[in-house]
Amino acid sequence: MAAILASTPSQLNSYCHFISSKLCPSFSLSLRQSNRKTIGYSPVSSRIRLRVFANSQSAPASVVTSEVASVPSEMKAWVYGEYGGVDVLKFDSSVSVPEVKEDQVLIKVVAAALNPVDGKRMLGKFKATDSPLPTVPGYDVAGVVVKVGSQVKELKEGDEVYGNINEKALDGPKQFGSLAEYTAVEEKLLAVKPKNIDFVQAAGLPLAIETAYEGLEKTNFSTGKSILVLNGAGGVGSLVIQLAKNVFGASKVAATASTGKLEFLKSLGVDLAIDYTKENIEDLPEKFDVVYDAIGQCDKAVKVVKKGGSVVALTGAVTPPGFRFVVTSDGAVLKKLNPYLESGKVKPIVDPKGPFSFSQVVEAFAYVESSRATGKVVIHPIP
């Protein structure tokens, strides 16, 4: 069953097209009963109803509102059995659904986002601490809880949640990631999805917003300080800008981007938008309390930071006093930031080329690697 709430005729037409092409009448989930010994098994109705709303403050754009019953033993997923480029990714329709541990919930994935770390992991950049192959990639997830472990305290079946499923990005990430119909995640890594954003928007947030927030925390960023964000239009950079301005109380936010994205930077609240194709940040007449390097130009970043200031380097070589950190996934951070998302002070940014369909995962990975994306690249619907 589908219901539509649209604020404009164009939105109505768009969503009618989405429903006719994507959801009805072919949308279905083949649910087979799994072993009832699985932790948290609770048989309920196997029907899935989908309500679709236009993006508004009053209702999410895509909400799965159903009771999902017997979870199948196998699922559709993207998998790689050897390290390499995007060509090692293969679609598999018979991957085992991960078991749910006592402190985990099983999520029916609605949307998942890609991150640069996915590509680095696939290349084997940190295989010494990686999970075993074959691997289902994917860190970011948004979906519906369909099963809960015996030690889960707050979440319940039917909850709409989002999160970064790997507590440590490089140290033992899960073998079964979010580019699949189901994924199992510790409760402590998740938060309930804000009601005013849809699953696509929610999927693009966790790893990027946690990285943005943790980086600002590590610099002791606070009210009245200034910041320069390199690659302000990217997934992390666009959130650093918003958090610095609207959560931490920055006195001035400057950011770099290409010519065509300067207006986008200003829409995020940037006070000084810098066209990196025409200006060299080393020639800026002022220096900043913090420089957040989300592109890999630490050698330049350290030249525009104030004495005693901080330079965060997410990628590339690190030049002192710059520093690097690896984000820790934490549902508490998402919960803390949820009010800012619900109030609209912080907005999720999804690349306008997306969302990419589940069949376009390889193309989506290639697009991420092109470094042309604005905000996050999201996969939806799944499958």
Side-chain angles (χ1 to χ4, degrees):
M1 181 176 72
I4 301 175
L5 179 63
S7 57
T8 67
S10 62
Q11 286 179 324
L12 180 61
N13 288 336
S14 173
Y15 277 88
C16 285
H17 174 72
F18 173 79
I19 291 171
S20 63
S21 63
K22 300 291 186 184
L23 300 180
C24 300
S26 61
F27 180 79
S28 64
L29 287 174
S30 176
L31 295 174
R32 297 197 299 276
Q33 187 163 305
S34 65
N35 188 336
R36 294 189 181 215
K37 293 181 181 179
T38 301
I39 293 173
Y41 175 84
S42 176
V44 286
S45 167
S46 63
R47 277 199 314 272
I48 291 192
R49 297 192 307 277
L50 199 68
R51 290 187 298 154
V52 178
F53 297 88
N55 187 12
S56 71
Q57 293 298 312
S58 60
S62 166
V63 184
V64 176
T65 63
S66 83
E67 301 171 300
V68 180
S70 38
V71 175
S73 59
E74 294 181 341
M75 63 181 179
K76 299 179 180 71
W78 285 89
V79 182
Y80 57 91
E82 60 181 320
Y83 291 117
V86 293
D87 56 313
V88 300
L89 269 175
K90 308 296 180 187
F91 176 78
D92 192 332
S93 61
S94 57
V95 175
S96 296
V97 172
E99 294 184 3
V100 180
K101 297 177 181 177
E102 291 183 346
D103 62 342
Q104 293 181 330
V105 300
L106 186 68
I107 297 175
K108 174 63 189 77
V109 182
V110 178
L114 305 186
N115 292 280
V117 68
D118 287 300
K120 293 176 182 177
R121 181 186 179 192
M122 191 159 50
L123 286 169
K125 296 280 189 179
F126 48 95
K127 60 184 176 183
T129 57
D130 202 358
S131 57
L133 295 173
T135 295
V136 174
Y139 284 68
D140 287 329
V141 68
V144 180
V145 175
V146 295
K147 187 177 290 187
V148 297
S150 61
Q151 299 301 313
V152 170
K153 298 176 180 178
E154 296 181 10
L155 296 177
K156 61 185 183 302
E157 291 179 14
D159 282 348
E160 298 170 1
V161 296
Y162 74 122
N164 167 8
I165 72 169
N166 294 307
E167 185 171 9
K168 300 294 184 182
L170 310 181
D171 188 6
K174 290 180 173 63
Q175 184 176 8
F176 297 94
S178 58
L179 288 175
E181 291 184 86
Y182 297 90
T183 191
V185 191
E186 290 79 9
E187 180 184 32
K188 67 180 181 178
L189 306 184
L190 300 169
V192 173
K193 179 181 71 64
K195 290 181 171 55
N196 64 310
I197 65 174
D198 61 35
F199 283 107
V200 170
Q201 293 169 319
L205 282 168
L207 191 150
I209 204 167
E210 288 170 342
T211 301
Y213 183 84
E214 188 173 339
L216 289 169
E217 284 269 283
K218 287 183 179 297
T219 67
N220 295 313
F221 198 75
S222 58
T223 302
K225 291 187 176 182
S226 61
I227 187 171
L228 169 62
V229 184
L230 305 186
N231 191 23
V236 174
S238 60
L239 288 165
V240 172
I241 290 167
Q242 296 183 76
L243 295 184
K245 190 85 172 183
N246 302 317
V247 177
F248 288 83
S251 60
K252 183 172 186 177
V253 178
T256 65
S258 59
T259 309
K261 296 180 180 179
L262 298 183
E263 289 304 315
F264 169 69
L265 292 185
K266 294 175 184 177
S267 74
L268 296 179
V270 166
D271 302 296
L272 176 62
I274 302 165
D275 186 341
Y276 72 80
T277 69
K278 298 178 181 178
E279 300 179 66
N280 189 333
I281 61 170
E282 298 171 76
D283 297 331
L284 292 173
E286 59 188 307
K287 296 187 185 296
F288 301 85
D289 294 301
V290 170
V291 181
Y292 205 119
D293 174 21
I295 196 65
Q297 295 180 341
C298 191
D299 57 332
K300 294 183 178 181
V302 297
K303 295 179 181 179
V304 288
V305 69
K306 292 179 181 178
K307 185 176 181 180
S310 300
V311 175
V312 183
L314 293 187
T315 186
V318 178
T319 304
F323 72 91
R324 176 176 295 153
F325 73 98
V326 179
V327 67
T328 298
S329 177
D330 187 354
V333 170
L334 300 179
K335 292 174 185 177
K336 183 176 183 178
L337 296 175
N338 269 356
Y340 295 95
L341 291 161
E342 290 168 346
S343 68
K345 290 182 178 179
V346 177
K347 296 179 175 63
I349 308 297
V350 177
D351 186 87
K353 288 185 180 293
F356 288 78
S357 70
F358 199 55
S359 64
Q360 295 177 304
V361 164
V362 172
E363 294 96 317
F365 264 108
Y367 184 52
V368 170
E369 292 176 359
S370 75
S371 299
R372 296 196 309 270
T374 299
K376 295 305 296 294
V377 175
V378 179
I379 307 299
H380 171 79
I382 296 176

